[in-house]
Amino acid sequence: MIQIPAWTWALLALALLVAPTLVVRRYVRARNMQIWLPAYLRRRRRPRHDGPTHVMFCFVDHYEPMHGRPDLDTQRARVDRWCRDYRALADRHRDADGRPPQHGFFYPEEEYLEEHLAKLEQLCRDGYGEIEVHLHHDNDTEANFRETITRFKALLHERHGALPRHPQTGEVMFGFIHGNWCLDNSGPDGRWCGLDNELILLRELGCYADFTMPSAPSPTQTRIVNSIYYASDDPQQPKSHDGGVRVRAGGTPSGDLMLVQGPIGLNWRDRRHGFVPRVENSDIRANYPPTPARVDGWVRAGIHVEGRPEWVFVKIHTHGAPEKDADVVLGPAVDAMFSHLEQRYNDGQRHVLHYVNAREMFNIIKAAEAGMGGDPNVYRDHVLPPPAASWAGSMAARAAA
């Protein structure tokens, strides 16, 4: 029998110990998980509370009909499909308040075409969602950014009846999603923004909250996760929203901009090679459709305002205009997602389901911050009213054009 030296056994044992560590490290680094995983692993359980958990469910869309630079006929077909099929999908579902699912159309400024927005405006006017602001930009300047946002929000408000006015100041307000995830110049290569003071600029221009995060596996992902918080901008540094102060009941605003994050974590129900969990990043795509297990994970993330654990906020996102992703968002997978939400999280005893748009989610967060409780449905318009008052004006503007 061949004698194997003791040192060979020692090396083999060491290799067996080290190899899994190297594999895990490679997996983590390849997905930029080192940014957010520590905070995720340190997460605290949502505090217990009396009564049902109210689930605010918000679906935001980086809605880009011109994605991939298709011809005009393809763009039109994409928008027409949404205006037709989303009605049929949403009409099959209702929350505890009798409302259908709400879709947030965060429309890119650089893709503006009046006929596309006019169709989406009608869909939103009929009660299926609201239009907000999306922007892709690169190597931008403060002056150009101010001019771009000011012009676009006025256009959306005056011509398309989108975006609310603040009842005290009269300013047109908007929710925001940053293109390429690079909010506040957070891309490591400095691309796709250019403004280290973007949070300040957004606040000054009327942004009520940002809905960009989570962005994993992008390196723009923040260290703070599964939170609703205020970020203070350091105009000399990028990615000031990497940390912040959580919104809390009875508190006051602290910082330059509120960020409303969607759930992020590890999906152990969807494992690669049988043991590697998939990253849950709240994204609905052709290669990552929603499942009941994902829905349950979103709710378990327990994103809430500190001191109001009975109100849970679930914000998911998509790029819903291109055909492959539209097949998912307008198809059986999302239909089943809504059914699961209504069957498991709307029994009136343990859970109460509320379909909300981005503005309504912000309003309910602000109500929680103000110390209000009970039924969150009554706070959908707590701070910012719906843009419905602008619809008459938008129709008049088009008639005069």
Side-chain angles (χ1 to χ4, degrees), residues 133 135 141-151 153-154 163-164 171-176 195 197-208 256-257:
V133 174
L135 180 69
T141 65
E142 178 175 331
N144 184 70
F145 183 76
R146 286 184 182 275
E147 194 278 332
T148 298
I149 295 295
T150 300
R151 181 185 66 248
K153 75 172 189 175
L163 309 182
E171 182 175 15
V172 175
M173 308 293 288
F174 62 97
F176 187 71
L195 302 170
N197 62 336
E198 192 168 39
L199 304 185
I200 292 173
L201 294 177
L202 285 167
R203 171 178 55 79
E204 292 178 350
L205 290 165
C207 179
Y208 62 78
D256 291 299
L257 191 64

Side-chain angles (χ1 to χ4, degrees), residues 288-333:
Y288 203 8
T291 63
R294 289 190 73 188
V295 174
D296 295 343
W298 298 336
V299 177
R300 281 198 307 271
I303 298 175
H304 65 282
V305 171
E306 297 289 320
R308 185 65 67 230
E310 68 272 27
W311 291 2
V312 168
F313 297 87
V314 176
K315 176 185 69 71
I316 64 171
H317 62 269
T318 190
H319 289 70
E323 289 76 12
K324 286 185 178 180
D325 294 321
D327 289 344
V328 174
V329 181
L330 297 173

Side-chain angles (χ1 to χ4, degrees), residues 78-141:
R78 288 174 171 180
V79 177
D80 289 343
R81 178 187 183 185
W82 260 90
C83 292
R84 178 187 66 247
D85 292 358
Y86 190 75
R87 291 174 187 270
L89 171 65
D91 283 345
R92 292 194 289 272
H93 300 279
R94 289 294 184 273
D95 66 4
D97 313 305
R99 299 182 80 226
Q102 298 293 296
H103 204 74
F105 295 94
F106 284 72
Y107 197 95
E109 181 274 339
E110 70 279 2
E111 293 190 13
Y112 176 77
L113 192 63
E114 182 177 3
E115 65 175 275
H116 296 343
L117 265 299
K119 293 172 182 176
L120 295 178
E121 175 193 345
Q122 185 61 56
L123 182 65
C124 293
R125 185 189 316 217
D126 290 344
Y128 296 95
E130 291 185 7
I131 298 166
E132 300 286 358
V133 174
H134 187 30
L135 180 69
H136 301 82
H137 60 154
D138 189 18
N139 195 29
D140 210 348
T141 65

Side-chain angles (χ1 to χ4, degrees), residues 128-285:
Y128 296 95
E130 291 185 7
I131 298 166
E132 300 286 358
V133 174
H134 187 30
L135 180 69
H136 301 82
H137 60 154
D138 189 18
N139 195 29
D140 210 348
T141 65
E142 178 175 331
N144 184 70
F145 183 76
R146 286 184 182 275
E147 194 278 332
T148 298
I149 295 295
T150 300
R151 181 185 66 248
F152 190 49
K153 75 172 189 175
L155 182 64
L156 290 179
H157 181 73
E158 295 167 8
R159 184 161 291 274
H160 297 287
L163 309 182
R165 284 193 181 274
H166 195 286
Q168 275 74 52
T169 67
E171 182 175 15
V172 175
M173 308 293 288
F174 62 97
F176 187 71
I177 289 178
H178 199 293
N180 305 106
W181 314 109
C182 294
L183 179 67
D184 202 44
N185 213 22
S186 56
D189 59 1
R191 295 294 308 278
W192 309 119
C193 184
L195 302 170
D196 288 345
N197 62 336
E198 192 168 39
L199 304 185
I200 292 173
L201 294 177
L202 285 167
R203 171 178 55 79
E204 292 178 350
L205 290 165
C207 179
Y208 62 78
D210 176 85
F211 296 84
T212 304
M213 294 290 111
S215 63
S218 166
T220 61
Q221 172 62 46
T222 53
R223 289 179 298 164
I224 190 170
V225 297
N226 294 330
S227 299
I228 301 168
Y229 66 105
Y230 290 109
S232 296
D233 204 342
D234 179 349
Q236 305 304 317
Q237 298 291 332
K239 203 177 184 181
S240 295
H241 56 295
D242 210 21
V245 178
R246 286 177 170 81
V247 180
R248 63 181 180 86
T252 56
S254 174
D256 291 299
L257 191 64
M258 178 189 290
L259 282 90
V260 182
Q261 296 186 322
I264 187 172
L266 299 176
N267 183 356
W268 290 96
R269 298 289 186 89
D270 186 356
R271 295 194 291 269
R272 303 292 181 87
H273 312 296
F275 66 92
V276 180
R278 189 163 183 175
V279 172
E280 173 57 67
N281 60 358
S282 308
D283 195 2
I284 302 302
R285 293 288 186 99

Side-chain angles (χ1 to χ4, degrees), residues 309-380:
E310 68 272 27
W311 291 2
V312 168
F313 297 87
V314 176
K315 176 185 69 71
I316 64 171
H317 62 269
T318 190
H319 289 70
E323 289 76 12
K324 286 185 178 180
D325 294 321
D327 289 344
V328 174
V329 181
L330 297 173
V334 165
D335 196 10
M337 176 190 78
F338 288 133
S339 293
H340 183 72
L341 280 163
E342 291 152 17
Q343 292 163 8
R344 183 157 185 172
Y345 298 104
N346 199 32
D347 61 5
Q349 301 298 317
R350 295 186 60 192
H351 298 94
V352 182
L353 176 66
H354 307 276
Y355 290 132
V356 297
N357 56 52
R359 177 189 57 83
E360 292 170 336
M361 179 171 271
F362 166 78
N363 280 329
I364 295 170
I365 291 168
K366 293 297 288 184
E369 183 181 44
M372 299 175 181
D375 182 2
N377 180 54
V378 302
Y379 303 117
R380 290 178 184 266

